[in-house]
Amino acid sequence: MHANRASGLRRAGVRIGVVGAAVAAVMSAGLTPAYADLGDAGVAELGSVTVTGASPSSSGPIIPCRLGEQASASTPGVSYPGVRFGSGTTTCNQDAAGNADIKVAGNTFELSLFNKAEYGRRLIRVRSFEATCKSTENGTSAGWKLGGYSGFTLPSPVPQNHVVTVPGKTGMPPVAKIVVNKVETDQGAIALTAMHITLDPDDGYGAIGGTITVGATACAPTWPPR
């Protein structure tokens, strides 16, 4: 397991010796006089699926939670053609001061869409994943974990917005591009997606395409009453 942590403009790295997992506590977004909302005061979803081609599918947000609307959600698992999420939960909590504590945790993600001879038998699996987002008056912070992943490799530590290309059959374009630890910040708000997958990024396999997200959270700073 590898970890990295950053706060403001200062960064310090910590390595923890656990096999078979990737962990990163990512950037803390410092408070500024105003911020452009990234979407919500606090939201999480297990993921989403949009696939085009011979077996198209579209899920929308899977078991989303949202501060002030849906405190928690769960699923025993959900499957689409070539894509499977195991059981998972989302929680969107807020304390008396208005600070947000957002979390998504999933057991098993599998992308088997390209596990065929014509694609080079590429199979992406993650045994467990997690993404978190927390807010205070001073800003926000987010973190993520992947456990027991296979079908791709990661460096240690994993930088923000790290791109992994999944090769196709020999001599053919890649079948997918994965952005791991995808982070967006905007004047104190932060959004984190553990994995953002683009299918057939070079359009080398006909009509097949789309995007899949795995473990997504976002939150904004806790603003005191005026």
Side-chain angles (χ1 to χ4, degrees), residues 55 112-123 169 208:
S55 301
S112 59
L113 190 66
F114 301 110
N115 192 25
K116 300 176 182 179
E118 59 264 41
Y119 305 127
R121 298 203 178 277
R122 306 304 180 186
L123 178 63
K169 192 174 181 178
I208 195 168

Side-chain angles (χ1 to χ4, degrees), residues 83-223:
V83 184
R84 182 174 67 88
F85 288 84
S87 61
T89 60
T90 57
T91 54
C92 291
N93 296 319
Q94 200 167 32
D95 65 18
N99 300 319
D101 187 354
I102 313 298
K103 181 177 180 180
V104 53
N107 294 298
T108 310
F109 167 76
E110 183 176 275
L111 174 59
S112 59
L113 190 66
F114 301 110
N115 192 25
K116 300 176 182 179
E118 59 264 41
Y119 305 127
R121 298 203 178 277
R122 306 304 180 186
L123 178 63
I124 302 297
R125 282 178 173 159
V126 176
R127 187 181 67 244
S128 62
F129 59 91
E130 180 181 299
T132 61
C133 198
K134 298 179 183 294
S135 72
T136 68
E137 291 183 15
N138 296 318
T140 54
S141 62
W144 63 277
K145 297 179 183 179
L146 296 180
Y149 55 89
S150 61
F152 61 99
T153 60
L154 294 174
S156 177
V158 181
Q160 293 176 28
N161 303 311
H162 177 70
V163 177
V164 178
T165 299
V166 181
K169 192 174 181 178
T170 302
M172 294 290 288
V175 295
K177 179 182 76 173
I178 307 174
V179 182
V180 180
N181 187 16
K182 182 180 180 181
V183 178
E184 300 172 272
T185 60
D186 196 343
Q187 301 186 59
I190 191 168
L192 183 147
T193 302
M195 296 174 63
H196 183 277
I197 304 170
T198 301
L199 307 175
D200 188 15
D202 293 345
D203 296 324
Y205 299 94
I208 195 168
T211 58
I212 299 168
T213 61
V214 180
T217 61
C219 58
T222 306
W223 295 99

Side-chain angles (χ1 to χ4, degrees), residues 32-35 137 223-226:
T32 58
Y35 73 96
E137 291 183 15
W223 295 99
R226 294 189 177 185

